[in-house]
Amino acid sequence: MRILLTGSSGWLGATLAPRLTALGHEVTGLDPVPAAQTRIVGSISDRDLVMRAVRENGIEAIIHSGALHKPNIEHFENTDFVATNVQGTLNLLDAAVACGVDRFVFTSTTSLMISQAIRAGFQGGARKAAWLTEDMSPEPRNIYGITKLSAEHLCRLYHIQHGLPVVVLRTARFFPEADDMADTIDQSDANTKANELLFRRLTVEDAAEAHVAALEKAPQLGFDIFIVCAPTPFQPDDCAALIADAPSVVARYFPEFPGLYTRKGWTMFSSIDRVYDASRARDRLGFACQTSFADVLATLKVEQGMA
């Protein structure tokens, strides 16, 4: 397929573009930042540019991963987020309909699922962890979440009005940067990211593979939304214990974890406040992340000469 990939110069785009090419697709990258995999340098907020990119390259599918993200909030105005995340998505959807694109994959975020009320509960001593699925009605807490949810609604609208097959992927954390709350956590970055694979993280390679799966399944699905996250070992019944004593819950599922962590000099979060349930993607999209917390422990065993 001839694919337009927005955000092609970003962390996900740099992984996804060569993966798509290896599968035999012709990829046209579009991004404001020049990069090897970016053929068109520009913004998706430029409607004429988007229309030309889709029309002149005979685009058959769009993977829309370009956006302003949460870390950009400190440096951009709300109008910038609306122009890129909302108007940019609308431009791409209009171009898709006008040019007969037959599938559209939108990279959204689990961040939009965390409302101010949920955030306050996390910070103020919630009685149990939040078990988060696609069935909840999101109330985003910041401009990033608001604009990503608005873009999701536009995707749904264009499926309803025009029959455009759209798959929305609410990806959990896969960014390489340290967490924005890293200063409050007495852990190495690698330790923190390993812990997060239990409930709110995936690798960028798995994020790319999820987009490949969505691209293939979009016509069959019509419209759907999926949380994409490493598979959690936890169950909803664990949520109270995860708030009170997360290490004991993790040890129930992985009895070898305390010894491996101690020898590594790592620690588990004392409390886990949310769990993203990716079972819908497994059941309907046929996709599950290949890297999980179990793989972290397997690597530690090798490092410690126990494998």
Side-chain angles (χ1 to χ4, degrees):
M1 280 182 287
R2 293 183 295 275
I3 300 170
L4 179 69
L5 172 63
T6 72
S8 53
S9 301
W11 180 239
L12 174 60
T15 303
L16 181 54
R19 178 70 180 120
L20 293 169
T21 300
L23 291 170
H25 300 299
E26 181 182 330
V27 180
T28 298
L30 191 163
D31 197 288
V33 178
Q37 62 275 7
T38 297
R39 288 173 51 189
I40 302 172
V41 177
S43 172
I44 56 173
S45 64
D46 183 337
R47 188 175 180 84
D48 290 340
L49 176 68
V50 168
M51 287 291 182
R52 289 197 306 273
V54 175
R55 182 178 60 252
E56 294 176 3
N57 290 281
I59 297 300
E60 299 168 283
I62 293 174
I63 299 179
H64 175 27
S65 69
L68 285 180
H69 298 280
K70 182 184 173 187
N72 299 127
I73 290 176
E74 295 181 4
H75 307 290
F76 289 85
E77 300 295 330
N78 287 352
T79 52
D80 298 318
F81 275 84
V82 172
T84 298
N85 295 356
V86 182
Q87 184 62 53
T89 302
L90 181 60
N91 293 341
L92 288 159
L93 289 166
D94 278 338
V97 170
C99 299
V101 170
D102 69 5
R103 63 196 74 189
F104 193 105
V105 178
F106 175 55
T107 311
S108 191
T109 173
T110 53
S111 177
L112 64 80
M113 302 174 73
I114 307 301
S115 67
Q116 190 57 44
I118 291 176
R119 172 65 67 187
F122 293 164
Q123 296 173 340
R127 289 183 297 176
K128 64 179 184 178
W131 188 267
L132 301 170
T133 74
E134 296 87 347
D135 293 331
M136 67 180 294
S137 297
E139 296 178 2
R141 70 189 187 280
N142 56 35
I143 190 63
Y144 171 53
I146 288 289
T147 54
K148 293 298 278 188
L149 182 59
S150 297
E152 287 190 8
H153 287 323
L154 285 172
C155 289
R156 186 189 298 271
L157 177 66
Y158 272 60
H159 170 68
I160 292 170
Q161 290 189 338
H162 304 285
L164 178 66
V166 183
V167 174
V168 174
L169 300 179
R170 288 183 182 168
T171 56
R173 301 176 179 207
F174 59 83
F175 48 78
E177 297 86 4
D179 184 87
D180 56 6
M181 298 294 288
D183 292 343
T184 68
I185 304 172
D186 186 21
Q187 292 178 344
S188 69
D189 184 53
N191 185 172
T192 296
K193 286 181 168 61
N195 292 351
E196 289 179 338
L197 281 171
L198 285 161
F199 64 103
R200 65 176 181 186
R201 179 168 284 276
L202 71 160
T203 66
V204 68
E205 292 80 11
D206 278 334
E209 289 302 319
H211 285 73
V212 171
L215 186 71
E216 294 174 354
K217 283 286 187 72
Q220 175 185 333
L221 291 168
F223 179 87
D224 218 330
I225 296 174
F226 300 103
I227 290 171
V228 183
C229 186
T232 182
F234 305 135
Q235 299 296 319
D237 289 346
D238 294 320
C239 287
L242 284 170
I243 282 286
D245 184 4
S248 68
V249 182
V250 178
R252 280 199 278 111
Y253 289 98
F254 302 100
E256 71 274 33
F257 125 77
L260 292 168
Y261 261 45
T262 297
R263 285 186 287 273
K264 180 70 171 177
W266 282 4
T267 58
M268 179 52 60
F269 299 143
S270 60
S271 179
I272 288 175
D273 55 20
R274 79 197 78 170
V275 179
Y276 293 113
D277 179 358
S279 59
R280 182 180 177 89
R282 179 197 65 210
D283 297 340
R284 290 183 56 82
L285 185 59
F287 173 81
C289 292
Q290 294 301 300
T291 301
S292 68
F293 185 71
D295 296 291
V296 171
L297 298 184
T299 299
L300 293 182
K301 286 180 182 179
V302 172
E303 288 179 1
Q304 298 171 18
M306 299 175 63

